[in-house]
Amino acid sequence: MGTAKPDIHRTDNRLERADRDVVVLGIAIAACLLFVGIGGSAISQIVRSWLGYGGSPDQLLVSAMLLNIALILFGWRRYRELAQEVDERRRAETQARELAQTDPLTGCLNRRSISTIMAKMAEEASQQGREIAVLLFDLDKFKLVNDLNGHKAGDRLLVEVAQRVSAIIPGDARLARLGGDEFCCFRAFDPSNPEDVDRTAANILGTVGKPIRLYGTIAEVTASIGIARTHKGLPFSDEQLIHEADIAMYHAKNTGRDRYSWFDRSMESELRVRSELETGMRRGIKEGEFTPYYQQQIDLDTGELVGFEMLARWHSPQLGEISPEIFIPIAEEIGVIAELSEELIQLALQDAKDWDPALILSVNISPVQLRDPWFAQKLLRMLVEAGFPPERLEIEITESCLHEDINMVRSMITSLKNQGIQVSLDDFGTGYSCLAQLRSLPFDRLKIDRSFVTELAEDENNLKLVEAIVSLGNELNLPITAEGIESEKVLQLLRRIGKMKGQGFLYGMPQDARTTQELLASRNLIVSDASKAGEVRTSPTVKASDHKIVG
Ligand code: C2E
Ligand code: MG
Ligand code: MG
């Protein structure tokens, strides 16, 4: 919508018309006065002549009266036109004002208009001893809906969300769309009953979370809400309120999404840390601060070393050691995960080229990378450039990938497998993958999440769960890897449950490339240049007792 510009021509027209209207009014008034003046005698002359009492009426008087009547009729018509014009102008002005205040897609208020409306609401609220709460929310993973189903579906989703939220917020609350998928609801509340605002937030989450039908598909989205409020005695600033609600919304997103958080001062420092991490990461990737570490994977039955999982490590000179649990999600959000991962995979392929050819290299792949239609090609190019056989590479994708477009995931897995790469499902048990999905996707392996394995000996439920996963794997013909083996006791229990591979601190912490190389060299598992060039080596057999040297 464009901003209103002064229209010179329209202004001139209006002035002209105003002049004309004054003349018309003058003529009409004069006509009325004349009519009163001459009408009386002319009419009586005409009536008398019709009845046959007198001679014919004075022709001049009659003509003057007819002219008079014509002028009055003309004036009346002009008056009616004028009234209509005024009406139309008023309607157009109201419409223009409404358009300037509302978001054309959803019909909600827009960002420009909330400032004055919120200030007015705050003033009225403070007179009644009430406060204002701002509930700022956006849709989690809205970009995904847009990318997968197109912008038309994205727009449809926004309209539906606006309608649903408008229907459940209190009558005196207002809803605005600030842009993209960001909405802002503001309402007055009784400060002695802030739970009322909690209820509004919970209702918004509830209504947004219900499945939404979009041109043939059904989208399930959630929202994250940040809440900020005014405080008695402190000056009102809509900008400050929205800023605080934004920080709180960010906190809600970071603590798991599909929830609401009230603003709290401590959140500001959280935001500062986050921004330092982002800048640090962008710089760190360029400076090569990220390195691959390797954790052993063991055949639990034979105790044989079968490969390594590559795990990213970041040592930042400014921020110290940062865990991948922190930097991987940030890399995904700020769009550097592919760059980071490709760099690490290239380094890992170089490292693993020297290892015994029987050893598998596992790498973790983010769901974000799976969305890249060129991912399989990129990986193949890296393998060719490094001269690394695809059969020795295993890709680990997390269960959360299965929430993505399942057909896309299937075709990606299939094209990876066509190149000879193995694909395993990581962190199994933490997500929501159903049996049908598992059956329909051609995985080569299931990795049981470490949260079930680590406490296996202490927790009867975890034991049952691991047993169930192992029997599911047997049924689906999927080999199993258990991660997070920290004790001999857990190892023995797992061995009893079934045949599987395993990894964990019991066998060693993840180590850098050099330490891994030294370990392998000590076991004669580093290939000579000649064998790298294609000579076949026999598969090594390393016993479990050997593994405990490391760690
Ligand atoms: P993951 O793929 O499930 O990796 C296993 C995690 O368990 C690693 O954490 C590893 O250090 C830890 N671990 C191994 N043995 C034990 C044990 O006995 N006990 C306990 N408590 N933990 C153990 P890490 O290195 O912190 O990585 C965390 C997660 O970050 C990984 O989980 C993976 O999802 C992700 N990640 C790491 N590197 C990359 C990467 O290069 N790309 C992507 N996309 N994700 C990565
Ligand atoms: Mg993994
Ligand atoms: Mg895992």
Side-chain angles (χ1 to χ4, degrees):
M1 209 171 14
T3 44
K5 280 188 213 146
D7 185 335
I8 298 168
H9 299 292
R10 217 186 300 153
T11 317
D12 285 351
N13 283 345
R14 230 180 284 151
L15 286 175
E16 251 172 49
R17 214 179 306 139
D19 287 349
R20 243 182 17 231
D21 292 342
V22 171
V23 175
V24 170
L25 189 69
I27 294 172
I29 291 171
C32 286
L33 290 174
L34 264 171
F35 186 74
V36 173
I38 58 175
S41 53
I43 290 173
S44 65
Q45 278 185 30
I46 293 168
V47 171
R48 247 184 287 139
S49 140
W50 276 353
L51 294 175
Y53 292 130
S56 51
D58 180 344
Q59 208 49 49
L60 189 68
L61 213 57
V62 171
S63 303
M65 193 190 73
L66 287 177
L67 179 66
N68 235 285
I69 292 173
L71 284 177
I72 291 172
L73 286 178
F74 167 71
W76 170 244
R77 221 185 62 200
R78 183 69 200 126
Y79 166 78
R80 274 213 344 245
E81 274 174 12
L82 257 177
Q84 216 171 330
E85 254 175 56
V86 167
D87 260 8
E88 265 167 28
R89 210 176 299 161
R90 204 170 289 149
R91 222 171 315 150
E93 271 167 16
T94 320
Q95 201 182 8
R97 202 172 33 245
E98 273 171 8
L99 280 176
Q101 278 192 346
T102 52
D103 162 46
L105 177 68
T106 59
C108 296
L109 295 175
N110 61 21
R111 184 184 273 277
R112 262 199 314 274
S113 64
I114 54 175
S115 193
T116 29
I117 298 176
M118 209 191 277
K120 194 161 165 252
M121 186 188 270
E123 198 186 314
E124 282 167 11
S126 88
Q127 283 162 5
Q128 299 158 3
R130 284 155 72 82
E131 300 292 343
I132 296 290
V134 169
L135 296 91
L136 189 76
F137 63 97
D138 79 8
L139 306 177
D140 304 322
K141 307 202 172 151
F142 173 69
K143 192 177 172 305
L144 197 65
V145 176
N146 249 346
D147 291 351
L148 293 180
N149 307 297
H151 286 267
K152 202 169 146 214
D155 283 356
R156 176 81 208 93
L157 179 77
L158 294 174
V159 172
E160 180 68 25
V161 165
Q163 284 170 353
R164 287 185 185 186
V165 173
S166 301
I168 55 98
I169 54 177
D172 56 348
R174 305 297 303 267
L175 182 65
R177 176 171 166 240
L178 303 189
D181 61 330
E182 198 172 60
F183 291 87
C184 166
C185 163
F186 48 100
R187 55 159 297 181
F189 72 100
D190 177 354
S192 65
N193 186 18
E195 294 77 23
D196 212 16
V197 180
D198 290 87
R199 262 190 298 279
T200 305
N203 289 343
I204 294 176
L205 292 179
T207 193
V208 172
K210 286 186 195 137
I212 297 178
R213 191 174 287 280
L214 297 174
Y215 307 112
T217 54
I218 292 191
E220 289 192 30
V221 288
T222 53
S224 300
I225 309 179
I227 313 176
R229 54 163 291 184
T230 53
H231 290 273
K232 191 170 184 252
L234 292 181
F236 168 82
S237 154
D238 57 296
E239 268 178 31
Q240 180 65 17
L241 273 180
I242 290 178
H243 173 67
E244 290 176 357
D246 196 28
I247 292 175
M249 180 177 82
Y250 177 73
H251 180 84
K253 275 204 186 296
N254 250 8
T255 45
R257 301 189 166 103
D258 192 17
R259 65 195 59 208
Y260 64 89
S261 301
W262 283 83
F263 171 76
D264 180 305
R265 287 268 155 249
S266 66
M267 289 176 186
E268 277 173 315
S269 57
E270 186 190 321
L271 200 70
R272 207 170 315 118
V273 171
R274 156 79 186 215
S275 121
E276 276 171 15
L277 279 171
E278 283 183 15
T279 337
M281 272 190 80
R282 290 186 203 277
R283 191 181 43 224
I285 295 175
K286 285 196 187 74
E287 309 274 316
E289 290 168 12
F290 291 83
T291 44
Y293 270 53
Y294 302 95
Q295 185 176 40
Q296 301 177 42
Q297 296 183 319
I298 309 291
D299 178 329
L300 297 190
D301 247 8
T302 62
E304 198 178 323
L305 173 69
V306 286
F308 289 89
E309 175 175 6
M310 188 269 277
L311 295 158
R313 291 290 177 265
W314 179 24
H315 178 79
S316 156
Q318 292 81 22
L319 307 164
E321 216 63 59
I322 316 281
S323 154
E325 312 251 31
I326 293 175
F327 69 74
I328 295 287
I330 299 180
E332 289 172 344
E333 271 172 49
I334 65 173
V336 297
I337 186 71
E339 187 188 347
L340 173 63
S341 173
E342 280 162 31
E343 233 174 86
L344 287 167
I345 293 175
Q346 274 163 348
L347 290 172
L349 291 177
Q350 287 306 327
D351 291 339
K353 235 165 55 165
D354 293 344
W355 304 345
D356 188 281
L359 295 173
I360 297 288
L361 169 70
S362 287
V363 296
N364 294 283
I365 294 299
S366 147
V368 176
Q369 290 170 278
L370 277 195
R371 268 180 240 148
D372 173 6
W374 299 103
F375 175 70
Q377 263 78 0
K378 284 183 188 166
L379 203 59
L380 189 64
R381 205 192 61 223
M382 285 191 268
L383 287 168
V384 170
E385 278 171 8
F388 194 88
E391 303 74 39
R392 283 185 60 199
L393 185 70
E394 183 179 63
I395 295 294
E396 294 187 8
I397 67 173
T398 53
E399 221 184 345
S400 57
C401 282
L402 307 186
H403 300 168
E404 313 269 319
D405 176 356
I406 205 78
N407 291 326
M408 186 188 67
V409 175
R410 186 181 302 110
S411 76
M412 182 61 75
I413 296 179
T414 312
S415 69
L416 290 171
K417 282 177 64 96
N418 286 343
Q419 293 168 18
I421 298 165
Q422 298 170 51
V423 184
S424 62
L425 184 57
D426 202 0
D427 302 341
F428 185 68
T430 53
Y432 312 91
S433 49
C434 63
L435 206 59
Q437 277 176 329
L438 264 188
R439 245 189 246 278
S440 77
L441 293 169
F443 287 114
D444 294 297
R445 172 171 294 278
L446 285 186
K447 290 190 76 177
I448 310 176
D449 190 67
R450 63 180 189 269
S451 57
F452 307 118
V453 178
T454 310
E455 310 268 290
L456 199 62
E458 290 80 36
D459 190 333
E460 180 72 17
N461 287 338
N462 279 350
L463 186 65
K464 282 193 187 131
L465 218 129
V466 172
E467 282 171 345
I469 295 176
V470 173
S471 76
L472 178 75
N474 289 340
E475 228 161 85
L476 295 175
N477 222 357
L478 284 176
I480 302 279
T481 298
E483 48 181 34
I485 307 172
E486 290 181 359
S487 68
E488 192 69 38
K489 209 168 161 190
V490 167
L491 172 64
Q492 294 315 328
L493 278 171
L494 287 170
R495 272 197 180 135
R496 223 175 295 150
I497 294 172
K499 202 173 148 40
M500 65 187 91
K501 287 206 286 189
Q503 61 188 94
F505 297 162
L506 179 69
Y507 295 104
M509 303 293 282
Q511 302 283 5
D512 64 13
R514 180 199 282 260
T515 317
T516 305
Q517 171 121 5
E518 281 167 7
L519 162 82
L520 291 174
S522 74
R523 295 181 190 174
N524 203 22
L525 292 173
I526 291 291
V527 290
S528 67
D529 281 331
S531 54
K532 251 194 267 176
E535 274 183 24
V536 184
R537 272 176 62 95
T538 46
S539 168
T541 306
V542 186
K543 291 289 164 215
S545 53
D546 297 337
H547 302 134
K548 293 184 193 129
I549 316 164
V550 200

